[in-house]
């Protein structure tokens, strides 16, 4: 029997019999697993029309229990005439077992109305657990805002693929998306822009864009994610990517003249100044962020900070002298260190993009390596934990095919099979004990050119399914096997209403003639990568 489970479970075998889910199905759970039971009742109740009341373990009942011998995310699932039994090392494992059970049912099990066909799961025995503890996805809600409703749906889709970290990119030049009570202008001003560039270098659209999450919204999002075993890691990007904050509070910048929230794409010149008052401002911001997000990890960005303004600013030059630093690069490192100490003192771990390696880091800091594999190698060899977010392998804003009909093409081609071929542990670390430092990997949904939830669906699915296999399953891939399972998975996405990209290419309404992308000539692309990574090569 070929099970269409995505990501692929570690092992499975067949059992006699089958299980029919209907309005009389019972559900019973160990008291430690009541949260999982509540979730499963709500999800399955919609398609059975029943209440899945507690019952006796055995035929007609789904039983969630604990298994002492299992890790917290591991589960054993057994389905047959004798009922459904999910044994797990803890709530996360039980949740993944329940997700797998749901995938044994027809795609109708993903609808929100009573099924008109029988909901039959085949007899199986599955043993499963993830390879990596960090199975993440970055979502950029700064460049284009995603409504709370769509964000909750996205969390459900991540959980369906057994991902467990949502890295929420909340602030950037083009928008500030988190309410901060102490500094209301961050959202009054910073959450809105006058207009946006269409595509990469196109005309301005002339339409205001914006939105933000209130603190109540964020508490709800965090709780919703936690119930699905997803940790939300907030990102407040510093000291670059901050024009929206500077627009709200000009004293944070270097120019002393008003700026607007940025309306175009690319790496901006406008960065924070390095005054003590600015560092204090962002510590106050983080105090509120820490209250909202219980995550042990908090990201302060640190990427792509242009240095022109610091070079030209007398006060930045004075700071460099006062602090005894060599240059602007060291000023950036000093800046990040202020937050490294701040977060460590509050029991949290700083996460930053691989630029934070330049200048040395506190031992507890985690490096999100994005410029290819090099940052991961450099960080791991320096004893830092690493998340592999390689742009050349798992950035989902990059185009999915070489065709002319690809909408708003950007970056290099990352087709489904390219993502599927991704290996979270870089080749250079394979025989190196430093490989232990790779906590996992994270795909990136950067949204400069993804201007609606429908475009998110198009860019993310089904590549997210391929990515999930790389962080959940053991090393080694079988593309044909994956494709066969994906054929059973796409109807689930369709039942949910995900407007994914067919592997054959975009549907006619998914192309976007006239919206310019940034097609990359492979040679130019390589030159860009080489320039980006020149300083990383020395560190690796
Ligand atoms: C990044 O892509 N600038 C992290």
């Amino acid at each position: 029997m070929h099970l269409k489970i995505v990501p692929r479970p570690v092992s499975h075998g067949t059992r006699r019999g089958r299980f029919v889910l209907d309005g009389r199905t019972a559900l019973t759970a160990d008291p430690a697993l009541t949260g999982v039971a509540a979730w499963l009742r709500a999800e399955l109740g919609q398609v059975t029309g029943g209440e899945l009341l507690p019952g006796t373990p055995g035929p007609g009942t789904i039983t969630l229990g604990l298994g002492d011998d299992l890790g917290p995310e591991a589960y054993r699932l057994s389905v047959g005439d004798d009922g459904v039994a999910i044994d797990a090392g803890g709530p996360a494992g039980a949740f993944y077992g329940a997700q797998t059970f749901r995938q044994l049912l027809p795609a109708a099990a993903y609808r929100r109305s009573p099924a008109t066909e029988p909901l039959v799961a085949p007899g199986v025995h599955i043993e499963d657990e993830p390879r990596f503890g960090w199975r993440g996805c970055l979502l950029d809600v700064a460049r284009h805002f995603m409504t709370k409703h769509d964000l909750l749906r996205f969390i459900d889709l991540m959980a369906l693929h057994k991902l467990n970290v949502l890295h929420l990119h909340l602030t950037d030049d083009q928008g500030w998306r988190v309410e901060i009570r102490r500094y209301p202008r961050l959202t009054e001003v910073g959450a809105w822009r006058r207009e946006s560039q269409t595509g990469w270098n196109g005309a301005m659209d002339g339409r205001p864009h914006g939105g933000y999450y209130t603190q109540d919204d964020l508490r709800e999002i965090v709780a919703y994610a936690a119930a699905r075993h997803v940790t939300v890691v907030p990102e407040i990007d510093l000291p670059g990517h901050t024009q929206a904050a500077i627009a709200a509070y000009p004293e944070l910048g270097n120019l002393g003249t008003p700026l607007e929230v940025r309306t175009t794409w690319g790496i901006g010149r406008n960065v924070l100044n390095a005054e003590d008052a600015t560092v204090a401002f962002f510590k106050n911001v983080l105090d509120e962020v820490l209250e909202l997000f219980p995550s042990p990890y908090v990201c302060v960005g640190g990427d792509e900070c242009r240095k022109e303004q610091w070079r030209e600013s007398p006060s930045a030059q004075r700071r460099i002298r006062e602090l005894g630093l060599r240059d602007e690069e060291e000023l950036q490192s000093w800046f990040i260190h202020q937050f490294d100490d701040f977060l460590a003192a509050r029991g949290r771990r700083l996460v930053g993009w691989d630029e934070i390696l330049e200048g040395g880091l506190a031992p507890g800091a985690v490096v999100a390596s994005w410029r290819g594999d090099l940052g991961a190698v450099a960080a791991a060899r320096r004893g830092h934990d690493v998340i592999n977010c390689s742009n050349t392998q798992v950035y989902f804003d990059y185009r999915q095919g070489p065709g002319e009909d690809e909408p708003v093409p950007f970056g290099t081609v990352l087709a489904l099979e390219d993502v599927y071929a991704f290996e979270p542990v870089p080749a250079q670390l394979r025989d190196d004990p430093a490989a232990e430092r790779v906590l996992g990997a994270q795909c990136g949904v950067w949204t400069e050119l993804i201007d609606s939830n429908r475009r998110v669906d198009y860019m993310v699915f089904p590549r997210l399914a391929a990515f999930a296999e790389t962080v959940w399953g053991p090393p080694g891939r079988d593309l044909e096997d994956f494709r066969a399972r994906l054929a059973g998975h796409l109807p689930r996405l369709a039942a949910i209403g995900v407007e994914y990209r067919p592997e054959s290419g975009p549907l006619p309404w998914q192309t976007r003639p006239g919206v310019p992308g940034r097609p990359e000539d492979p040679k130019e692309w390589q030159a860009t990568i080489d320039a980006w990574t020149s300083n990383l090569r020395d560190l690796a």
Side-chain angles (χ1 to χ4, degrees):
M1 180 176 28
H2 194 264
L3 296 179
K4 307 280 198 259
I5 310 289
V6 175
R8 183 169 66 170
V10 172
S11 72
H12 66 85
T14 49
R15 288 184 79 232
R16 281 158 53 90
R18 57 187 202 147
F19 185 85
V20 181
L21 179 79
D22 60 26
R24 287 158 306 175
T25 298
L27 192 157
T28 208
D30 185 283
L33 304 175
T34 47
V36 181
W39 172 81
L40 191 58
R41 269 197 185 99
E43 293 293 315
L44 297 183
Q46 298 181 98
V47 286
T48 64
E51 291 182 63
L52 292 105
L53 297 170
T56 331
T61 299
I62 301 168
T63 305
L64 308 180
L66 293 173
D68 294 343
D69 55 328
L70 297 169
E73 293 193 298
Y75 68 90
R76 271 192 301 265
L77 166 65
S78 166
V79 177
D81 291 336
D82 51 353
V84 175
I86 297 171
D87 284 315
F95 180 74
Y96 297 131
Q99 288 281 12
T100 298
F101 168 65
R102 203 176 181 192
Q103 290 199 8
L104 293 170
L105 299 165
Y110 288 88
R111 296 191 180 275
R112 300 211 174 272
S113 61
T116 52
E117 61 188 283
L119 296 170
V120 181
V124 291
H125 178 83
I126 291 175
E127 303 208 2
D128 202 11
E129 65 180 320
R131 176 176 172 205
F132 291 105
W134 189 299
R135 305 181 298 279
C137 178
L138 173 140
L139 190 59
D140 170 8
V141 292
R143 269 54 172 269
H144 281 100
F145 182 64
M146 182 184 272
T147 64
K148 183 183 75 176
H149 174 86
D150 288 336
L151 186 49
L152 299 180
R153 172 183 180 269
F154 194 84
I155 290 166
D156 274 320
L157 287 165
M158 285 180 62
L160 163 64
H161 293 89
K162 301 190 173 84
L163 301 187
N164 67 346
V165 177
L166 171 62
H167 176 154
L168 209 49
H169 185 75
L170 284 164
T171 66
D172 214 302
D173 296 323
Q174 296 85 358
W176 183 283
R177 309 278 174 231
V178 45
E179 177 192 17
I180 300 296
R181 291 193 202 280
R182 186 169 177 147
Y183 302 119
R185 286 176 58 82
L186 285 171
T187 43
E188 286 167 7
V189 173
W192 312 96
R193 61 176 181 260
R194 201 161 39 81
E195 57 184 352
S196 311
Q197 203 170 43
T198 46
W200 185 256
N201 257 333
M204 305 308 293
D205 67 2
R207 277 184 303 164
H209 176 86
Y212 68 92
Y213 308 109
T214 66
Q215 296 204 348
D216 282 340
D217 289 338
L218 287 164
R219 273 187 278 272
E220 180 184 345
I221 289 162
V222 166
Y224 189 91
R228 286 148 186 81
H229 299 276
V230 172
T231 300
V232 185
V233 174
E235 178 180 357
I236 304 294
D237 205 342
L238 307 168
H241 290 283
T242 39
Q243 186 167 324
I246 300 168
Y249 294 95
E251 62 271 28
L252 300 172
N254 293 285
L255 299 177
T257 50
L259 286 171
E260 62 172 5
V261 177
R262 193 156 183 229
T263 57
T264 55
W265 316 125
I267 305 174
R269 287 169 53 92
N270 295 306
V271 304
L272 297 179
N273 64 45
E275 299 300 323
D276 287 332
T278 296
V279 172
F281 180 103
F282 279 93
K283 286 181 176 172
N284 291 334
V285 166
L286 283 173
D287 272 333
E288 294 192 32
V289 168
L290 297 188
E291 262 178 46
L292 296 169
F293 296 90
S295 162
Y297 302 93
V298 174
C299 184
V300 296
D303 57 323
E304 300 179 320
C305 179
R306 282 172 66 170
K307 307 291 183 321
E308 292 96 321
Q309 291 187 344
W310 288 352
R311 276 195 281 275
E312 291 156 12
S313 148
S315 64
Q317 293 301 316
R318 171 181 50 75
R319 283 303 269 166
I320 288 174
R321 285 192 302 277
E322 263 171 26
L323 296 165
L325 305 174
R326 203 167 29 196
D327 57 14
E328 295 76 23
E329 305 299 327
E330 285 200 354
L331 188 59
Q332 145 121 5
S333 175
W334 172 86
F335 201 100
I336 293 297
H337 270 273
Q338 305 312 302
F339 296 97
D340 200 355
D341 297 341
F342 175 85
L343 290 173
R346 284 154 186 77
R348 309 292 184 104
R349 293 181 68 186
L350 177 145
V351 179
W353 298 108
D354 51 41
E355 287 92 335
I356 67 171
L357 279 171
E358 299 154 15
L361 267 184
V366 179
V367 175
S369 164
W370 71 276
R371 292 174 289 173
D373 269 350
L374 283 170
V377 175
R381 289 199 172 139
R382 275 166 178 69
H384 290 291
D385 286 342
V386 171
I387 306 143
N388 191 339
C389 314
S390 171
N391 67 322
T392 52
Q393 296 164 93
V394 292
Y395 264 26
F396 291 171
D397 52 332
Y398 288 12
R399 61 186 303 161
Q400 304 188 66
E404 294 284 315
D405 55 351
E406 205 55 53
V408 207
F410 180 76
T412 191
V413 175
L414 283 183
L416 186 70
E417 64 262 34
D418 299 320
V419 175
Y420 186 72
F422 171 61
E423 166 50 44
V425 176
Q428 291 176 68
L429 290 179
R430 286 282 142 89
D431 299 313
D432 189 327
E436 290 291 310
R437 291 292 185 177
V438 181
L439 301 181
Q442 188 166 280
C443 53
V445 185
W446 298 98
T447 60
E448 290 95 329
L449 307 184
I450 304 179
D451 59 6
S452 72
N453 198 50
R454 298 183 80 178
R455 311 308 307 176
V456 171
D457 276 6
Y458 177 85
M459 296 306 282
V460 173
F461 300 99
R463 289 191 290 187
L464 191 87
F467 172 76
E469 300 249 324
T470 73
V471 280
W472 181 275
R477 308 270 178 275
D478 180 342
L479 184 60
E480 285 319 302
D481 178 77
F482 172 62
R483 281 193 201 288
R485 282 179 293 111
L486 191 65
H489 189 62
L490 294 176
R492 293 175 195 132
L493 297 181
I496 293 167
V498 176
E499 298 184 319
Y500 61 83
R501 179 190 188 274
E503 236 201 310
S504 53
L507 297 169
W509 60 269
Q510 290 176 318
T511 62
R512 298 189 91 184
V515 181
R518 194 173 75 169
E520 307 281 352
D521 165 51
K523 272 208 207 91
E524 268 174 43
W525 172 250
Q526 194 52 50
T528 308
I529 301 256
D530 289 348
W532 266 343
T533 51
S534 58
N535 46 4
L536 269 181
R537 269 197 299 276
D538 300 336
L539 290 168

